[in-house]
């Protein structure tokens, strides 16, 4: 009887152990994928402190390092846009606008802030002018026939200007990556 009881106990403990192990693995996997999915360049590193090793998670984002929406807008307005529009090939696509240059800058700044981990909306925000930012790249660029090499030039200029104002190489890569994502929706629409 006692033997039977103890083997039952063993079985129960094995069950509890397995359940705890599975829960632990699911929790670790969930944490990692939440970090990986956030696209916020979250950094994890181990630090050895006096009380032993500890996991440090840096949650600051590219957007926050660029100064959020306002920092990105100032960068676009003061540095990127003047150089983009000084290029006659790029400027030639900015005729017959359906909205103002100021609206375009603000909508693009919000989109970039959002895509780089900031709190702006990706689209749909209503600006002071009354313009509602659009989010569909094909719709925004419809009828403009923007070729691939012009998109490449646009992204390169933004990256060069970011470098000039001291943005880190890693953050420039992240900015270029989010701009790149729109290429298919912009090209030859
Ligand atoms: C590379 C990534 C690009 C992104 C993420 C992007 C994004 C945007 C956004 C957010 C707007 C404002 C939309 C709105 O009014 O709600 C916009 C407008 C516009 N973009 Fe782009 N753009 C990109 C590249 C380009 C390029 C390469 C050109 C041309 C050389 C271009 C030409 C325009 C024009 C002409 C408008 C104004 C459209 C209108 O007034 O209806 N964009 N873009």
């Amino acid at each position: 009887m006692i033997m039977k009881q103890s083997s039952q106990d063993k079985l129960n403990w094995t069950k509890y152990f397995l359940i705890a192990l599975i829960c632990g693995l699911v929790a670790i996997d969930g944490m990692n994928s939440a970090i990986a999915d956030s696209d916020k360049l979250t950094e994890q590193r181990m630090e050895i402190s006096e009380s032993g090793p500890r996991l440090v998670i840096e949650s600051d984002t590219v957007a926050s390092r660029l100064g959020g929406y306002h920092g990105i807008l100032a960068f676009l307005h003061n540095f990127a846009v003047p150089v983009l529009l000084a290029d006659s090939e790029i400027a030639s696509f900015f005729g017959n606008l359906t909205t103002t240059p100021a609206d375009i800058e603000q909508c693009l700044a919000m989109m970039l802030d959002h895509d780089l981990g900031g709190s702006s909306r990706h689209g749909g925000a209503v600006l002071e002018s009354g313009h509602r930012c659009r989010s569909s790249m094909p719709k925004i660029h419809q009828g403009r026939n923007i070729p691939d090499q012009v998109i490449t030039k646009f992204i390169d200029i933004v990256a060069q200007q970011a470098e000039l104002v001291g943005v880190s190489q890693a953050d420039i890569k992240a900015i270029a990556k989010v701009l790149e994502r729109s290429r298919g929706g912009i090209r030859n629409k």
Side-chain angles (χ1 to χ4, degrees), residues 23-143:
C23 290
L25 287 174
V26 168
I28 289 168
D29 186 50
M31 224 166 83
N32 283 340
S33 50
I35 289 164
D37 287 351
S38 66
D39 202 12
K40 291 182 178 177
L41 286 198
T42 312
E43 224 180 70
Q44 289 181 80
R45 64 173 189 277
M46 289 298 284
E47 264 186 16
I48 310 292
S49 65
E50 274 176 9
S51 54
R54 66 191 188 105
L55 179 65
V56 177
I57 298 176
E58 278 185 3
S59 63
D60 62 335
T61 61
V62 178
S64 69
R65 284 193 289 278
L66 297 175
Y69 163 72
H70 292 286
I72 295 171
L73 181 62
F75 164 72
L76 289 177
H77 184 74
N78 297 318
F79 298 95
V81 172
V83 181
L84 287 167
L85 294 182
D87 182 289
S88 56
E89 192 181 16
I90 291 180
S92 70
F93 292 92
F94 283 83
N96 304 318
L97 298 179
T98 64
T99 182
T100 65
D103 288 345
I104 298 172
E105 281 177 4
Q106 289 170 60
C107 294
L108 181 55
M110 279 188 208
M111 193 174 274
L112 283 174
D113 179 47
H114 175 277
D115 291 352
L116 294 166
S119 56
S120 300
R121 293 177 63 174
H122 185 263
V126 179
L127 306 179
E128 261 178 41
S129 65
H131 175 68
R132 180 186 290 273
C133 292
R134 297 163 284 176
S135 62
S136 159
M137 287 294 125
K139 281 187 187 155
I140 293 169
H141 301 91
Q142 190 67 49

